[in-house]
Amino acid sequence: MQTAVAQEITVEADKPGAAIRPTMWGIFFEDINMAADGGLYAELVKNRSFEFNNPLMGWTEHSSVPGNGNILVLNRGAENPDNPRFIRVTHYTDGEYGLSNEGFRGMGIKQGETYHFSIWDRPAAPVALRLELQNPNGQPIGSARLLLNPSTDWKRDTISFTATVTEAKARLYIGFEGQGVVDLDMISLFPQHTWKQRPGGLRADLVQLLADMHPGFIRFPGGCIVEGRDLTNRYQWKKTVGRVEDRKLIMNRWNVEFAHRSTPDYFQSFGLGFFEYFQLAEDIGAEPLPILNCGMACQFNTAEVVPIPDIDPYIQDALDLIEFANGDTSTKWGGLRAAMGHPAPFHLKMMGVGNEQWGPQYVERYKVFTRAIKARYPDIRLVNSTGPDPNGEKFDFLNDTLRKLHADILDEHYYRNPGWFLQNATRYDHYDRNGPKIFAGEYAAQSDKVVSVNNRSNWQCALAEAAFMTGLERNADIVQMASYAPLFAHVDGWQWTPDLIWFDNLRSYGTADYYVQKLFANNKGTAVLPLTRQGSPLTGQDGLYGSACIDSAAREIVIKLVNTTAQPQSLNIRLDGVRKVSSPARAFLLSAARLDAVNTLDNPTAISPVGTSIPSQGKKLASTLAPYTFSVIRIKI
Ligand code: AHR
């Protein structure tokens, strides 16, 4: 079926407009939905150092004869305030005595994979540990025996072993042989095949999904997690670097945020800390964009603020972070970066001051942070909040005030229904071209409403985001960065939906929204080209949206078209300013028959790009956009 009259779309290839920055399409990482511990950070043992509020959460004692062993939780807080707790296990010869760890909603174990076990120990006499990976029925699916020699000091012992069966809900069992007393801490298990095979590294499949997007930047570590429920619970980057055993665990603020999605075992071990975030950014070719606490706790929670006279330590954290990322190795923080294995700088160029703050308190803190950072590092570009909404009183106040103060980059957030995204494809067409740049820092179309558990990452949402993103691209002179949020969610441990990428302990998949993001990021182009229908940009006429750019390195024109209607739409695409189009155009089509269609773990690529080609005639392409389709067309010139 074809529409009767083909509409003419014109792309003016000889009129490149705004440059599209390499940072245009990026990713937003927050440790929400078990994105770090239990997700990207490949550690399989939950509560490995017994620092959760309940020190034995995640651990189960197994005793075949009553009284044949016991556990004492000790606290050496004065001696080791960052890792105060350890356990003392006393075990006797009769029967079986051991401990098991349940992992993060189980442990994802793969047949043939090697697992690296490590433990901090201080045995009074030799102790043999029988290590077993077990399936949910308690049957072994991989085992090893580790002898711990006596020691009066803490030492680290390790052993590696291979799993015989794939199991998504395995557990780790540690059996104690014979009689003895042993102090234990930092009990850890990692797969060998982490991202880049780094010991203690990241889950390779999840990083691969990010790398495949070729993101221009990665924002970390959030999100409200930066702010904390209160200031004590805020994210402090200095506590996330150095040796993992010295990174002080705290509760994850999403642990208690939503009563209906309570996650009592959600903490932050910081095994994935600021060094690892910078390294991840470098690995995937993304500019790092750290967001720091500006002396304000989450305003949806306590809204605690640090008084301005006491704010220096917060500002010092920001200055020291720039030294950590970029400083010479002879400096304190540059030296720590080098000691952690990265003497070369991480080339930090921008930083966020505060997450989703609002009100005059934010402006006060914005001023002192900006003054201090710009005085020392004038080239660092600062990202500033415009609050949680894209309009309304909070937004208007910060938008007006920060523009008058000549802020570098304003961070706008929009969690709205698909209709809002369609209506706002023109949002930036009338923004001040000489004001601050825009970072569309958090957005996602909500199929139901914000924080509803019924939100689905369906095709209707993804299609609306694609339409909206054509408006971001058309305005690339002021919109310089954009990222969907949140990024990750564990299917058994989430608090917030929708999310870009879902995973269980073994598998992962990108949603339809992921493929929209990926298509934009992989077809970014270098400068905007005018794309018009009857002389006007294509911003929803007959349900069609579009943008175009040139990719000067590839010598290609890239056209993005979104048909949000249930009708096919015939288009004649005329390319002005080219001599002729020499070969068929390549096209990538993303579509689904139903607007409520979704990808799932079992059908992970139901909605994913399909490659095709479009014949050209002279300077023209004739294309029919199928119903509910996002198309990216690349034309060699
Ligand atoms: O993305 C989830 C949350 O939404 C972020 O933590 C916060 O910045 C926003 O309110």
Side-chain angles (χ1 to χ4, degrees), residues 386 389-400 416 427:
T386 53
D389 302 304
N391 50 9
E393 210 180 304
K394 292 186 186 97
F395 175 85
D396 291 343
F397 169 70
L398 281 183
N399 190 40
D400 293 347
R416 291 291 190 269
R427 177 179 175 89

Side-chain angles (χ1 to χ4, degrees), residues 258 260 415-418 444-458 461 465 484-486 494-499 502 509 511 513 596 598:
F258 299 128
H260 61 284
Y415 295 101
R416 291 291 190 269
N417 61 39
Q446 315 283 300
S447 69
D448 188 14
K449 55 181 186 284
V450 188
V451 309
S452 162
V453 295
N454 297 321
N455 283 320
R456 295 285 170 269
S457 301
N458 65 29
C461 290
E465 289 152 10
Y484 181 101
W494 59 273
Q495 298 81 42
W496 179 297
T497 183
D499 304 286
W502 287 81
Y509 73 93
T511 56
D513 317 73
D596 61 357
V598 292

